[in-house]
Structures are given as C-alpha cells and as structure tokens.
Amino acid sequence: WPEQKVHVRIDVRDLRGAPSDTSGFDAAVTVNGKPIQLAWSRGAGTLEGDVAPQVGPGPWVVRVRVKNQRGIEVARNFLEVIESPRLETASR
C-alpha cells in the first residue's frame, strides 16, 4: 500500500462459532481519522469491502469499528501501514 487496495473482512459468528446473520451489524472505516465509504458485500457470516489505494507519503492507519443494531460497538481493529522504499534491482 498505498498502490493496492486493502481488503477488509469481518466475520460475524454466534456464541457457538457458527456464521451469523450480518444484517444487524454496521461497520465504519476510517483512514487517518477520515471516514471512508466502502461498498460492503454481505455473505454467510461475513461483511467484506475494499479500501481504495491512498495518496500521500504515509504512514496510514486504517481503523474498522463494528456496531450492532443498538449502536453498541462490538468489535474494532486497525492496520498501520508504513510505506516501504522501492528496492532497485541491479542488472548483471
């Protein structure tokens, strides 16, 4: 990153660990504190979306927060990304 998208996947499980209905959950994503709108796809126990490539020198912090239908935060996580210098390959 920042040249490629970051894929976000949220697994929703019930108390037994089985996939659960995702309709009662909403997820919010920020990059460096700025809200990012994702086109979420909902599957059997999953919410998935992609954060578009970013511009700028970095570093970046991607945060994901998940709330239930009552608005209570039930999960959160983050990813810190520091741009790596490009390695030049020498010709032989």
Side-chain angles (χ1 to χ4, degrees):
W1 215 38
E3 297 162 348
Q4 298 176 350
K5 63 185 176 184
V6 170
H7 186 73
V8 177
R9 178 184 168 130
I10 301 164
D11 290 319
V12 180
R13 305 285 177 191
D14 64 17
L15 295 175
R16 295 169 296 167
S20 187
D21 180 20
T22 62
S23 63
F25 297 91
D26 287 314
V29 177
T30 61
V31 175
N32 290 350
K34 178 183 171 191
I36 302 293
Q37 295 297 319
L38 267 61
W40 293 106
S41 63
R42 293 178 186 263
T46 62
L47 284 163
E48 296 186 65
D50 294 317
V51 178
Q54 302 295 302
V55 296
W60 299 272
V61 176
V62 180
R63 292 187 188 280
V64 179
R65 290 192 160 104
V66 181
K67 293 183 179 182
N68 65 14
Q69 65 251 9
R70 294 182 179 144
I72 298 169
E73 186 173 281
V74 294
R76 66 177 177 231
N77 211 335
F78 68 95
L79 170 68
E80 293 181 271
V81 183
I82 299 172
E83 185 176 25
S84 299
R86 295 183 186 271
L87 298 177
E88 299 292 328
T89 56
S91 307
R92 295 186 191 244

